[in-house]
């Protein structure tokens, strides 16, 4: 349901941690004998357990456990805000942040823009409080800005081949333009820059042997693994039929080597139906005191050497 989904392991950790916290909170209320306030935490515990089981189960859409988790956060905030006289508005931050993490941007804006003021102003505090309203709007804008920027960047991404548009990689012209900008920025501001040259040997023969679907599966797997493990401002682009450049701004040689090892390990764990275990060859290439044209030549030479094994 999210536009840039989190890894399955991270979401499993989030569901499990939420369940443990709510079980601990419900047990604490039970130990204090506060049975009047135990109903909602107990129900939220069951809701979180259902979310975890659905997430771990097979054949379910990813948005179902996310909606359950979001509903649990709203119920938790509602339960906390329902106990005057000392009600802290900070509780509204929990479902607001969760909405922007778990929902697409438009859905998060719609829900937080309606449910937040509805819960606070019309149910708990009928009087309109200008400072709180300003703070709430500011929080929404701060949470929406990174999502909007991420979506704006994603709208610029496309593959060289229109049939490969599912692969979120810059084409060669856009890639060189963005790399040139980073190259000039690194030279002028004395910043670090690194590029990983990636070659997929199976991509050369995937379409011929297994069809276009297998080729798209390879491209999508590469893009998903890169985007899931790299920073938002790292740039992935397709530099050839089976060659890719991963531009890493503000990255030293040691940092680039760490990214290479992490990415190569992640790709080696990917097994596709048609081609089997995904093979990748990755090399780091850092600019020296040279022209941009010379640097591009070295990148192309490194890609050719990887293709030749």
């Amino acid at each position: 349901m999210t536009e840039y989904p989190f890894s399955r392991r991270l979401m499993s950790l989030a569901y499990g941690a939420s369940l443990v916290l709510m079980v601990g909170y419900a047990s604490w209320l039970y130990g204090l004998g506060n049975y009047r306030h135990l109903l909602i935490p107990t129900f939220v515990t069951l809701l979180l357990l259902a979310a975890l089981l659905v997430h771990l189960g097979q054949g379910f859409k990813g948005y179902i456990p996310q909606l359950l988790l979001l509903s649990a956060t709203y119920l938790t905030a509602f339960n906390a805000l329902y106990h005057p006289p000392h009600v802290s508005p900070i509780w509204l931050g929990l479902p607001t942040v969760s909405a922007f993490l778990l929902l697409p941007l438009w859905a998060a804006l719609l829900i937080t823009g309606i449910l937040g003021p509805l819960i606070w102003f019309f149910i708990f505090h009928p009087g309109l409080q200008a400072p709180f309203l300003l703070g709430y709007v500011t929080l929404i804008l701060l949470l929406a800005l990174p999502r909007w920027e991420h979506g704006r960047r994603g709208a610029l991404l496309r593959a060289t081949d229109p049939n490969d548009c599912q692969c979120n990689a810059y084409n060669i012209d856009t890639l060189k333009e963005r790399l040139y900008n980073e190259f000039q920025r690194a030279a002028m501001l004395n910043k670090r820059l690194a590029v990983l040259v990636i070659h997929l040997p199976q991509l050369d023969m995937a379409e011929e042997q297994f069809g276009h679907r297998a080729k798209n599966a390879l491209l999508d797997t590469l893009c998903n693994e890169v985007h899931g493990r790299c920073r938002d401002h790292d740039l992935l682009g397709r530099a050839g039929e089976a060659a890719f450049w991963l531009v890493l701004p503000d990255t030293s040689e040691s940092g680039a080597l760490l990214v290479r090892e992490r990415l190569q390990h992640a790709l080696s764990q990917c097994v596709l139906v048609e081609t089997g275990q995904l093979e990748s060859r990755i090399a780091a290439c850092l600019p020296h005191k040279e022209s941009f044209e010379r640097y591009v030549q070295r990148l192309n030479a490194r890609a050719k050497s990887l293709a030749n094994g």
Side-chain angles (χ1 to χ4, degrees):
M1 191 169 188
T2 56
E3 294 169 350
Y4 48 100
F6 299 102
S7 66
R8 184 175 180 85
R9 182 178 301 177
L10 181 60
M11 290 304 301
S12 300
L13 180 62
Y15 292 126
S18 301
L19 179 61
V20 170
L21 288 175
M22 191 54 61
V23 168
Y25 178 58
S27 301
W28 179 66
L29 291 177
Y30 181 81
L32 293 177
N34 194 352
Y35 306 120
R36 188 166 63 94
H37 297 155
L38 191 59
L39 178 61
I40 290 183
T42 303
F43 178 74
V44 171
T45 299
L46 297 176
L47 201 63
L48 291 173
L49 178 60
L52 178 60
L53 294 177
V54 171
H55 172 72
L56 295 177
Q58 301 295 329
F60 290 97
K61 296 293 184 180
Y63 62 82
I64 296 178
Q66 293 181 20
L67 287 177
L68 291 175
L69 179 59
L70 183 62
S71 300
T73 59
Y74 266 100
L75 285 174
T76 303
F78 183 89
N79 183 55
L81 292 171
Y82 196 70
H83 298 114
H86 302 293
V87 180
S88 174
I90 198 173
W91 277 98
L92 270 183
L94 175 64
T96 303
V97 173
S98 299
F100 280 95
L101 289 176
L102 299 173
L103 299 178
L105 179 59
W106 63 269
L109 287 172
L110 182 64
I111 289 180
T112 56
I114 294 177
L115 289 184
L118 182 66
I119 291 176
W120 182 260
F121 297 120
F122 298 106
I123 297 180
F124 299 105
H125 289 266
L128 186 64
Q129 301 178 11
F132 175 74
L133 178 61
L134 179 62
Y136 185 72
V137 172
T138 302
L139 175 63
I140 290 179
L141 293 178
L142 289 176
L143 292 172
L145 185 59
R147 298 293 305 275
W148 176 84
E149 176 63 19
H150 186 277
R152 187 187 69 83
R153 286 175 176 266
L156 298 174
L157 299 177
R158 60 187 179 90
T160 306
D161 186 351
N163 294 325
D164 298 334
C165 59
Q166 292 180 348
C167 179
N168 293 328
Y170 288 103
N171 63 20
I172 185 61
D173 295 330
T174 306
L175 174 62
K176 286 185 177 180
E177 179 182 351
R178 298 300 298 270
L179 177 58
Y180 176 77
N181 294 336
E182 293 296 337
F183 185 87
Q184 294 294 333
R185 173 179 172 270
M188 294 176 59
L189 302 179
N190 196 25
K191 296 288 187 178
R192 295 174 296 184
L193 175 66
V195 175
L196 292 184
V197 181
I198 305 172
H199 178 74
L200 300 182
Q202 297 162 316
L203 197 60
D204 295 324
M205 61 187 73
E207 185 172 16
E208 180 180 350
Q209 293 185 356
F210 304 103
H212 195 72
R213 182 177 179 180
K215 178 181 178 181
N216 280 345
L218 283 170
L219 292 171
D220 290 341
T221 301
L222 171 66
C223 294
N224 290 335
E225 292 299 326
V226 169
H227 293 152
R229 286 167 173 78
C230 295
R231 303 164 299 182
D232 286 343
H233 61 276
D234 294 337
L235 310 174
L236 175 65
R238 191 171 182 183
E241 181 61 28
F244 299 82
W245 296 349
L246 178 57
V247 183
L248 305 172
D250 302 318
T251 303
S252 63
E253 182 177 7
S254 59
L257 294 178
L258 288 174
V259 175
R260 185 192 69 176
E261 294 301 322
R262 183 169 66 242
L263 183 58
Q264 200 155 25
H265 175 73
L267 292 173
S268 66
Q269 303 301 311
C270 298
V271 180
L272 304 180
V273 176
E274 294 88 352
T275 58
Q277 186 178 20
L278 196 151
E279 299 179 11
S280 63
R281 302 169 186 167
I282 307 176
C285 187
L286 279 70
H288 305 308
K289 294 182 178 180
E290 58 189 339
S291 65
F292 177 72
E293 291 74 16
R294 174 59 183 166
Y295 184 47
V296 171
Q297 291 177 3
R298 288 204 299 117
L299 290 173
N300 289 328
R302 186 64 59 87
K304 289 181 180 180
S305 65
L306 292 177
N308 294 331

